[in-house]
Amino acid sequence: MKTIIAACSQNLTGSRASLQTALRTLLAVPWPSQRDVRSALQLLAVLQWVLSFLLLGTISLLVLICLLFTSFWPIPALYLAWIIFDWDTPEKGGRRLPCLRRWTVWKHFRDYFPVKLVKTHDLSPRHNYIIGSHPHGILCVGAFCNFITGSTGFEEMFPGIRTFLTTLAGNFRLPLFREYLMSGGLCPVTRRAIGYLLSQNGTGNAVAIVIGGAAESLSCRPGVTTLILRNRKGFVRMALQHGAFLVPSFSFGENDLFRQVVFEEGSWMRSIQKRFQKRMGFAPCVFYGRGLTSDRSRGFLPYARPVTTVVGEPVVVPKVQNPSRELVDMYHERYIQALLKLFNDNKTKYGLSETDELHIL
């Protein structure tokens, strides 16, 4: 009996010693700091955004097609019926969800770069506006963060103004992705959709349009500030038809978020990109950013570079039902001059030199 008790006592002593050793080892392991936790959350926020825009629509479509050939076929069938019933909603203002725009993850998304919004002039809620967003960059980070999420305080800086951001109409034909886009306040970049917001949705609406579009993304690279704008006049005509004021905005640092392989004009790869752009509405860019594990590795995530979006002074536009070409040209030139002034007044404040110029093609 004494032998058994002694053995048990020895085992308990050994277990206690092992537990103490394990605790000392555990405590010796460095716990992640608050800074490490914040960095991880920021990285995850950007990752979910990139994956959502690159893959959500395609994966949702493939999943629904696969479900059609299973016992779960009523799910895609019902959703297809819903899309047919809901077909025109994107063209009529969509379905904004304020809770999604205020989602905490967008604050981590903002802080990853970070993204900052700068106000230079007031916007009266008694008018409607078309905000020209420049440059396009690769994924329009500045436009999305400032005009779709509430993380940079647009609604607080411009009280009474509701922002919308336009994107390719084809995105609203993809299942689930269309719901995701509409909930944030995105709408198709079509005359019907923009016209509805500027004429049938009251006042205080600001429709942001990335005017350079896919063509501009092909020339996106660090150190180059080239905009496709000279022959883009449709947004000016719409502003005149609805009496919407034109507001220039520029996101300094947008072109620094990715590295792109730029093919020279006249090359066969450039030709393929342009043909694809004309047929599909977007250009297949060859670009890369940082990887998941390190900012020194290559991957598809944007680099953590500051992006500062400066919203300029509104160009007052009269309401003219059928504006002449001369009138459109005049207000288009006024808009360009306002954009150039905005760029030149702020370029040295946000990372550019005094000698940097804005090239408008």
Side-chain angles (χ1 to χ4, degrees):
M1 188 68 175
K2 290 181 180 181
T3 303
I4 295 174
I5 293 173
C8 290
S9 177
Q10 187 176 2
N11 288 337
L12 286 172
T13 302
S15 299
R16 190 180 297 113
S18 299
L19 182 60
Q20 290 174 345
T21 302
L23 286 173
R24 281 196 297 270
T25 303
L26 184 62
L27 292 173
V29 176
W31 288 85
S33 64
Q34 290 186 350
R35 182 179 179 181
D36 293 334
V37 172
R38 284 197 301 270
S39 297
L41 290 174
Q42 292 166 10
L43 192 64
L44 289 174
V46 173
L47 176 63
Q48 67 82 26
W49 178 76
V50 172
L51 292 179
S52 296
F53 271 83
L54 295 182
L55 299 176
L56 179 59
T58 303
I59 291 177
S60 299
L61 180 61
L62 293 175
V63 169
L64 289 177
I65 291 175
C66 291
L67 287 176
L68 281 172
F69 301 95
T70 69
S71 57
F72 296 101
W73 65 266
I75 295 176
L78 288 172
Y79 186 72
L80 178 60
W82 162 253
I83 288 182
I84 294 173
F85 174 78
D86 196 54
W87 190 261
D88 288 336
T89 298
E91 304 274 355
K92 297 180 178 179
R95 277 187 300 272
R96 292 160 59 94
L97 293 179
C99 59
L100 183 64
R101 291 168 66 94
R102 293 193 298 266
W103 199 17
T104 304
V105 73
W106 300 131
K107 295 181 180 179
H108 298 302
F109 178 87
R110 171 201 65 195
D111 294 339
Y112 170 84
F113 298 96
V115 179
K116 182 182 178 183
L117 179 66
V118 175
K119 169 185 175 181
T120 62
H121 292 79
D122 291 330
L123 298 181
S124 171
R126 293 177 297 176
H127 302 287
N128 286 326
Y129 303 89
I130 290 180
I131 300 178
S133 179
H134 311 275
H136 183 285
I138 296 294
L139 293 179
C140 305
V141 169
F144 178 87
C145 192
N146 288 295
F147 303 134
I148 291 302
T149 79
S151 62
T152 56
F154 188 98
E155 293 180 353
E156 289 73 25
M157 289 187 189
F158 302 96
I161 303 296
R162 297 180 298 274
T163 54
F164 299 84
L165 179 64
T166 58
T167 185
L168 293 174
N171 289 329
F172 294 91
R173 305 298 178 244
L174 295 172
L176 298 184
F177 191 43
R178 69 191 295 274
E179 321 300 340
Y180 178 74
L181 295 177
M182 284 193 292
S183 63
L186 284 104
C187 63
V189 60
T190 62
R191 290 184 178 273
R192 183 184 176 192
I194 298 171
Y196 179 91
L197 294 172
L198 297 178
S199 63
Q200 301 182 50
N201 201 43
T203 59
N205 300 295
V207 182
I209 304 176
V210 186
I211 297 169
E216 193 171 278
S217 67
L218 293 177
S219 59
C220 163
R221 60 184 185 272
V224 177
T225 315
T226 301
L227 304 183
I228 306 297
L229 177 59
R230 191 65 64 182
N231 294 319
R232 302 289 174 99
K233 301 179 181 180
F235 73 103
V236 178
R237 182 175 295 278
M238 289 208 69
L240 284 164
Q241 289 173 341
H242 299 285
F245 293 3
L246 292 167
V247 183
S249 73
F250 196 93
S251 294
F252 294 91
E254 182 74 46
N255 284 350
D256 298 329
L257 302 182
F258 292 95
R259 302 289 183 270
Q260 181 179 183
V261 179
V262 178
F263 301 101
E264 297 297 328
E265 289 290 342
S267 65
W268 65 274
M269 278 299 297
R270 189 73 164 190
S271 175
I272 290 175
Q273 286 179 316
K274 288 187 173 182
R275 289 179 183 176
F276 195 92
Q277 173 202 331
K278 288 181 179 179
R279 290 179 178 273
M280 304 299 294
F282 64 94
C285 302
V286 181
F287 67 91
Y288 64 89
R290 60 156 290 177
L292 264 176
T293 56
S294 168
D295 57 1
R296 296 182 182 87
S297 61
R298 290 189 179 185
F300 56 89
L301 296 179
Y303 291 107
R305 303 285 187 270
V307 177
T308 303
T309 301
V310 184
V311 179
E313 181 179 4
V315 176
V316 178
V317 176
K319 185 174 182 180
V320 182
Q321 189 65 37
N322 295 302
S324 64
R325 179 179 298 179
E326 292 75 19
L327 191 63
V328 171
D329 289 344
M330 183 179 74
Y331 279 95
H332 184 262
E333 185 59 32
R334 288 186 183 181
Y335 176 83
I336 290 178
Q337 294 306 315
L339 177 61
L340 287 169
K341 183 178 185 302
L342 175 71
F343 177 82
N344 291 324
D345 288 349
N346 293 277
K347 60 184 179 182
T348 57
K349 300 176 184 177
Y350 306 113
L352 300 180
S353 67
E354 190 64 46
T355 56
D356 284 320
E357 296 181 354
L358 183 63
H359 302 283
I360 298 179
L361 302 179

